[in-house]
Amino acid sequence: MERIQLGSLEISSVPSIPTLVDEVVVDERYLVCRNGAVLYAVPLRSVVETMRPQPVVALEGLPAFLLGVATIRGAPVPVVDLACMTRSSGQRLSKRFVTLDLNSRCVAIAVDDVLGVRQIQASMLGALPPLLSDLDEGAVSSVATLDDGLLLVLHAARLLTDAAWAAIEAGQGAS
């Protein structure tokens, strides 16, 4: 195992695993959020805005990590509970929503806190360890540490699978 330190960012990687290059760009900027003790990094290029949570309407048939749909800027937007998706803790009342643009679709992630923007070099991030590589259809692209906390780097475009989008659309049609 290789440990790399860059300021307060420490990355542990397995040398035999190739470096992730499809989602992480050299010196990419990330919005860092927190749920409980876990930190999440979302590519800043995917972030639309942060806001106070909006009322969420639960829909039948959604995966457990989907809280439901909120009306944001006049449009229905699915809300993902990151803590539930990564199994870091149960559902709780989130203090912030972060809306993301996913190639013409919008999704909100529910988080406890938005900590700010950090610049992270691609060379600091490696692929997930083999046992974690199937975690939620690739929604988590890398694992690292930041300021002594676990940092999960999200692959924003993979937060929701086609099946999850279909369930959301079916639930909206039924309501």
Side-chain angles (χ1 to χ4, degrees), residues 68-113:
V69 177
T71 301
I72 298 176
R73 306 252 178 248
V77 176
V79 179
V80 174
D81 180 358
L82 288 180
C84 186
M85 174 180 266
T86 59
R87 298 175 194 94
S88 58
S89 68
Q91 291 182 355
R92 66 181 160 287
L93 187 60
S94 298
K95 297 176 186 163
R96 303 295 293 172
F97 279 1
V98 177
T99 55
L100 307 174
D101 178 12
L102 308 180
N103 301 325
S104 78
R105 288 178 162 168
C106 188
V107 66
I109 55 175
V111 298
D112 289 344
D113 292 304

Side-chain angles (χ1 to χ4, degrees), residues 3-130:
R3 289 191 173 288
I4 302 170
Q5 185 79 34
L6 178 66
S8 62
L9 179 69
E10 180 183 312
I11 306 293
S12 299
S13 64
V14 178
S16 64
I17 298 175
T19 301
L20 178 73
V21 294
D22 65 336
E23 173 72 8
V24 182
V25 178
V26 174
D27 294 335
E28 177 144 22
R29 294 171 51 183
Y30 292 85
L31 183 69
V32 178
C33 306
R34 184 184 61 76
N35 262 344
V38 180
L39 300 174
Y40 298 90
V42 181
L44 195 57
R45 62 187 148 83
S46 300
V47 175
V48 176
E49 68 182 313
T50 66
M51 66 186 69
R52 287 186 293 259
Q54 304 298 307
V56 176
V57 176
L59 301 174
E60 292 291 324
L62 296 181
F65 65 85
L66 277 170
L67 297 175
V69 177
T71 301
I72 298 176
R73 306 252 178 248
V77 176
V79 179
V80 174
D81 180 358
L82 288 180
C84 186
M85 174 180 266
T86 59
R87 298 175 194 94
S88 58
S89 68
Q91 291 182 355
R92 66 181 160 287
L93 187 60
S94 298
K95 297 176 186 163
R96 303 295 293 172
F97 279 1
V98 177
T99 55
L100 307 174
D101 178 12
L102 308 180
N103 301 325
S104 78
R105 288 178 162 168
C106 188
V107 66
I109 55 175
V111 298
D112 289 344
D113 292 304
V114 174
L115 302 178
V117 175
R118 291 282 185 102
Q119 195 159 349
I120 301 173
Q121 294 179 353
S123 63
M124 301 303 294
L125 300 173
L128 286 175

Side-chain angles (χ1 to χ4, degrees), residues 65 84-87 132 134-140 158-159 161:
F65 65 85
C84 186
M85 174 180 266
T86 59
R87 298 175 194 94
L132 301 178
D134 292 331
L135 182 66
D136 293 308
E137 306 282 335
V140 177
R158 296 183 183 167
L159 280 174
T161 63

